[in-house]
Amino acid sequence: MNEGARRGAEEPPVRWLTDAEVDSWLSVVRLMTWLPWSIDQELQRDSNLGMVEYQVLAMLSQSPQRRLRMSSLAEVTNASLSRLSHLVKRLEERGLVRREPDPADGRFTNAILTDQGFQTLAEAAPGHVAHVRSLVIDVLSPEQLRRLGLVADRIMSRIDTSEIN
């Protein structure tokens, strides 16, 4: 018996989804597909920012001295260093972010939110928050929202993010 066949024989049987599970799963898939699209469309239309660009600016704005190491920024935005580097380059070209070597360790690069970047974020935030509120926050009771957050955290705890970078 070859190795592949032996391994296949040892695998547990597939637990197929029930009709109710399929319905729920497809609802989650639609949410994962359409919610980011809708948020991205609003940001592009109203602020000329993509969702990940907004997220980068927001993460930087909340960091001490409005700066983060690129590796940390990649982690919190779920972007590879390569993808983040291209994105930050575009933000640099627009004057929203600048990069410089980390003074504590020159092997690392910091991304720094410029005053113009902070202003762009401040102008984009009210419309973005209103859109998020209309799509998610206001359609749920406080208890449903709390439970949604707990469910999202529970699912995230099962996702291995170690290979992002």
Side-chain angles (χ1 to χ4, degrees):
M1 183 184 241
N2 70 32
E3 186 65 27
R6 199 174 322 122
R7 228 178 322 171
E10 296 170 6
E11 291 180 11
V14 174
R15 291 181 50 222
W16 297 107
L17 301 179
T18 65
D19 289 344
E21 289 169 336
V22 167
D23 289 345
S24 293
W25 171 243
L26 291 177
S27 290
V28 171
V29 169
R30 284 190 299 275
L31 177 66
M32 291 185 316
T33 302
W34 291 104
L35 183 62
W37 176 85
S38 180
I39 291 170
D40 194 64
Q41 291 298 301
E42 178 273 326
L43 284 166
Q44 287 286 352
R45 181 187 66 240
D46 296 349
S47 306
N48 195 30
L49 290 170
M51 189 168 74
V52 178
E53 292 170 326
Y54 181 91
Q55 189 178 11
V56 165
L57 299 181
M59 291 294 122
L60 289 172
S61 77
Q62 296 171 5
S63 300
Q65 301 172 332
R66 300 190 317 205
R67 73 179 59 223
L68 274 175
R69 281 185 176 171
M70 290 286 287
S71 54
S72 298
L73 191 55
E75 189 175 312
V76 297
T77 58
N78 190 27
S80 68
L81 273 173
S82 173
R83 179 175 180 227
L84 180 67
S85 182
H86 291 294
L87 186 143
V88 169
K89 182 179 180 187
R90 289 193 310 270
L91 293 173
E92 275 184 304
E93 291 168 354
R94 294 172 58 189
L96 306 179
V97 173
R98 74 176 194 278
R99 286 184 279 190
E100 61 186 38
D102 186 331
D105 187 339
R107 295 175 298 169
F108 295 97
T109 300
N110 286 330
I112 301 139
L113 184 65
T114 64
D115 290 341
Q116 181 182 345
F118 187 81
Q119 182 64 36
T120 298
L121 179 65
E123 291 169 3
H128 173 65
V129 170
H131 192 60
V132 168
R133 181 169 283 290
S134 76
L135 293 175
V136 179
I137 308 302
D138 291 345
V139 299
L140 301 173
S141 71
E143 178 58 19
Q144 288 171 322
L145 185 60
R146 185 187 72 76
R147 283 186 289 168
L148 178 62
L150 291 172
V151 167
D153 288 345
R154 187 171 185 177
I155 293 169
M156 282 303 302
S157 75
R158 304 290 301 256
I159 298 173
D160 178 7
T161 59
S162 64
E163 295 188 30
I164 291 171
N165 293 308

